[in-house]
Amino acid sequence: MKLLFVSSLLCAFFLAGCASKPLPSEDIEAPRFYSTLINVLKDPDIPANSREKYEAAKKLIKKVDFTFTRETKTINEFFAPGDAIIDFPEAQDRRISFNYQYRNHYVRLTFFTFRNFVVRVDVIEK
């Protein structure tokens, strides 16, 4: 009986610790878990500098760790192509940025890519 109780407590602590960590962006479950936030970010009728997209991006970066992004197709699963700012669209190495601003605050995600691969990610919230 005591062993069952101790096992239950350890399992509860383990699950509580896992629940607070953000999912890696490459996790196949991440788009499904956060589909409501992603739908807001992918909506072409909502401008990037709106409160709705800013709030959705702010919540999403707390729930998904984008530093795990390894392929550009993952970027397309989370963000609207129309919100992307690409420095040199025809180059092999590009910088793809998403800037969601509301008043004096913003969330900026910048993906540094080479061909179809993401080599570095910067996430800034101010």
Side-chain angles (χ1 to χ4, degrees):
M1 186 69 169
K2 285 184 180 182
L3 182 60
L4 180 63
F5 178 73
V6 171
S7 298
S8 297
L9 278 177
L10 288 174
C11 187
F13 284 124
F14 176 75
L15 290 175
C18 290
S20 64
K21 292 182 182 179
L23 280 176
S25 59
E26 294 287 339
D27 189 315
I28 60 172
E29 296 295 325
R32 185 175 64 86
F33 287 152
Y34 305 114
S35 62
T36 304
L37 296 172
I38 294 167
N39 288 339
V40 171
L41 292 173
K42 291 187 82 133
D43 189 335
D45 296 328
I46 303 173
N49 61 346
S50 66
R51 182 178 183 175
E52 293 86 2
K53 282 199 176 182
Y54 165 75
E55 292 290 337
K58 185 176 172 181
K59 290 175 185 174
L60 191 63
I61 64 170
K62 292 186 182 349
K63 298 176 183 295
V64 177
D65 187 351
F66 286 99
T67 62
F68 282 95
T69 306
R70 297 296 173 249
E71 295 183 59
T72 55
K73 70 176 185 164
T74 303
I75 298 169
N76 294 331
E77 293 178 8
F78 288 94
F79 306 102
D83 291 343
I85 302 165
I86 304 172
D87 61 352
F88 298 105
E90 302 302 320
Q92 286 189 15
D93 56 333
R94 299 169 297 187
R95 183 174 51 212
I96 304 170
S97 298
F98 296 88
N99 190 45
Y100 301 105
Q101 181 179 341
Y102 180 68
R103 294 189 179 161
N104 294 331
H105 304 283
Y106 65 90
V107 172
R108 181 180 301 136
L109 297 101
T110 305
F111 299 90
F112 298 86
T113 66
F114 182 77
R115 295 186 182 154
N116 292 332
F117 301 100
V118 176
V119 294
R120 191 177 97 205
V121 180
D122 289 338
V123 178
I124 301 170
E125 177 191 356
K126 288 193 180 187

